[in-house]
Amino acid sequence: MLLTISQSASAQESAAAGGLCQDEAVLLSKAQRRAEKLDTTLNQIKAVMAGEQHRDFALSDVIDVLDSDLTAAEESMRSWPESLACGELRADYTAARGNVEANLVELEVLQQNYWVALPEVARQGLRDILGAFQTLRESFSTSSAMSRGTPADGALENSLAELDKLRSAYATLLPTLDADISSAEIQTWLNRWREAVALVASLEAREDTLEQLSPQSQFDLQNHFKLLALTAGKVAIVFNRIRAHLWTEHRKDFLKVLPRLEDRAQMLGDEALAMKNGVHWLYLNTLAGQFSTQHREDALLWRILLGIEYLLGLGAFAVLALVANRSQTMGEAWQQRFALHSRGNRNRIQIVRLTSGLPRWLPWIIGWFGLDLLEQILIDNKLFLLLPILPLAKLFVLYGFLRLCGVWFLQRMTELAGVYLQDEQQKAIWRGASNATLIVLLPLFTEVVYDLIIGPSLTLRLLDIVSLVTLLIAFGVLLKPWETEFVKALEYFLPERLNATCERIFRGFRFLILAPLSAPLLVLMTLLSFLHKLFVHFDWYRRLMARSFLLRSTVQEGIADKVSDEKAFNDYQQWFRTSENRETPFIRNELADRLQKHISDWLAERSEENTLLLYGERGAGKTSSLLRVASQGADADIALIHVDVPAKTNTKAQLAALLEPLLGVSLADGPSELVRSDEDRPTTVVMIDNAQNLFLRSVGGLAGWEFLLTLTRSRLRNVFWVVSIDSQSWAYLANVFGRYHQFNILLQCPRWSQGDIRSLILSRNQLSGYKITYDQILLSTRGPEAGSLRNAEQLYFSLLWDACKGCPGLALELWLSSLVVRPGAVNVGLPEETNAAALERLGEDRFFVYAALLIHENLSTTELVESTAIPESQVRSALRKGFELGFIRRSVDRRYRIEPMWYYPITRLLARKNLLHE
């Protein structure tokens, strides 16, 4: 019994051990197959790199292996057990696993040497060489069968052996392409490149090798020799790319292998031969599809299809030329339509000016980028024979572009010289630009072709020098007929004391030498002058120009010592001050139009919003816009009420007393009577001006403003409220009551444009009858604009507009500050500048006083004490200091205000100290 049980247990153990060994045998088999596959792959790659032939391994597969990611294989290896439990299989498994690990390490080394560490040009070269050899090997089996036993057989074998040597040399040299490549290694690469170039020319089927073959076999064999030459050409191109890479990245070491003049001359000859072979390879590559053709009928059909493809390619060039040619007409039509639709839009008008010359350049721009697209299309469709047309076409585009540049330069140059061009002179400019451009393109053509076929090289470097010299010669040819104009244009940018020297130097034969050398400087200065005239219509550029001029003119020359005639100044300034006796012109701007639109929408019942707040700085045009809208609505069937709030109307009773006579109802009990009378009331627009006088920043000082809000929030169908207030006052009230909860519509006064400011001042000056002259500091002293009133006027109003920040009231003050007035004439200098440096040294308590003046716009001494809670003595001290520095003004009713010209400096200072609300 016990014996039976023991035998049964032994049987079970044996069965379990047998099952385990059976499972581990599967893993062993997998490891052995993996090791065998890796070993075969490594041997095949090494053989391919050594130049040997392997019928069972595609050369293109080498790239797949070298470019593969070994991470997954290494991760899989980590999941394998270190050893097997089955003793019979343990040794074999350990050996197989070790072989896999060793093969993976060796494959990783091969990847590093032949792929990962190489530059892209070397990896692409390896792809091209192996791909070309794969195609050649497929064709070689057929050709060797046809020529076996004939002299052609030996010729094919010898040629293929030479190519294999080059392929093997390429693979052997690949690991040397790193950052530390030596001059000796560069010399080896150059030797292989020369061998590849020399081999291409020798690959032809000689007549004595074809005598024993049939005519069909001779024809096919010749095609195979051409395919062999095509492969050799591809190998030569790959070696040439490496040479170009070495020339670009390691030029210093490259030149060390060419120490003598003879060596460099030989290099030029080799590059010329490479250039010839490159052109020949393009031809062979175009006919490559014919080489594998076995029958003449197929070859004829192939030629027909190839001809159709090339006709389509040529048609693409024609279509591109047609589109580019018509783009100018289309661009001009679009420009005209855009200009027509841009009337009245200041920003669009500036864009129209900026793009006015674009249609002339459009065909050449489209042609250039169109050729880039066409190049990719030709490469994708393998129409290589058309590729040399691309650089020629680009040269034609470059010809048109450079000719336009030459015409532009001559026209700008003659403009700077003050010459008005007649029709014959315009034609002469175009002829001269055409001739000069042709001179420039002669070396460029050779340079482009060399760059296309052999790339960066010693020849290309010499051609760069030739192109530069030719460019200078072209400048001389272009400028010689315009010698006088060139000198005058150059004098425009030079100090006046150099005029005589400039005229003496640029004369006779010296002009042909010196003019091209100085032409780049004149081109740069002409371009800057052109850009100045182009951007002068943009506000940002005017501001930049004005500030740049002020930096150069820190002292007002001459006008500072002049004093105005007092009687004449008093008479003149009345046209620029608010006066009921003199009517001044209204300059239409967008503020009045926007205000009128909101009222019109309410009147036409397109909007139910009946409360509008108009806010802006003092002098921004609030009152004049209200009066303008009121005068326009006087003829309509509506009642217009304009209320100028006196200072200070900051209680409910005061505001009610002000409005009751105008509205015809009692407001003692609030807006109830106003609401009851609304149904019988005619359509009414109530304009409340200077609403900053309705509050005082003190306890109980907001009652007047709160009562106004009570009135405007009443449900009225026939009353439209327009409230005008200072921007700093509104910023304070918006923080107290909420910005968007008080009025339905908020309308901020926009800044006036420079053109509007100019019209404002010149229209009032015209009414005064005074003649305007400009101080010498504003007059240009060089070039055709010397003494130009228009240039001086443009410069002055750029300065004025930048200083006033688009505020018309401040612009009027600055205009008066920059004048010297004589009977019947005013002399205009630079606008007066305010120096705010002294404000920084004032005490902090004084800043609270000045902030209160800005927030309320105007205050009396008592109101200043009440709103700031500062002792009266300190308030008076702050006011006195303001009088001394000149930034506080006191009116006849003993109310204090900030001087307009000091408004922005003080606002910036107090905002920086967080004493203002915006």
Side-chain angles (χ1 to χ4, degrees), residues 452-474:
L452 177 68
I453 296 179
I454 69 171
S457 58
L458 179 62
T459 304
L460 209 58
R461 189 178 185 185
L462 293 178
L463 287 174
D464 287 338
I465 299 174
V466 173
S467 297
L468 179 60
V469 174
T470 308
L471 180 63
L472 296 177
I473 295 173

Side-chain angles (χ1 to χ4, degrees), residues 1 14 159 375 456 491 498 545 552 633 677 688 727 817 916:
M1 182 69 176
S14 299
S159 299
E375 179 180 7
E491 291 175 353
L498 297 179
M545 183 179 65
R552 299 193 307 269
S677 65
I688 300 178
S727 60
S817 72
L916 297 178

Side-chain angles (χ1 to χ4, degrees), residues 280-291:
H280 183 62
W281 179 86
L282 285 175
Y283 170 74
L284 291 177
N285 197 35
T286 303
L287 302 179
Q290 181 184 359
F291 299 160

Side-chain angles (χ1 to χ4, degrees), residues 241-302:
R241 290 177 190 162
I242 300 299
R243 179 207 54 77
H245 169 75
L246 295 174
W247 172 265
T248 304
E249 301 296 331
H250 306 279
R251 183 170 302 180
K252 184 177 180 180
D253 293 324
F254 194 104
L255 293 175
K256 288 181 180 179
V257 304
L258 305 173
R260 300 176 302 171
L261 187 61
E262 294 82 355
D263 297 328
R264 301 192 180 188
Q266 181 186 357
M267 175 60 68
L268 293 176
D270 293 335
E271 290 173 354
L273 182 58
M275 172 76 179
K276 175 186 175 183
N277 290 342
V279 174
H280 183 62
W281 179 86
L282 285 175
Y283 170 74
L284 291 177
N285 197 35
T286 303
L287 302 179
Q290 181 184 359
F291 299 160
S292 58
T293 305
Q294 300 296 323
H295 305 289
R296 295 183 184 274
E297 293 80 8
D298 293 340
L300 179 61
L301 177 61
W302 179 85

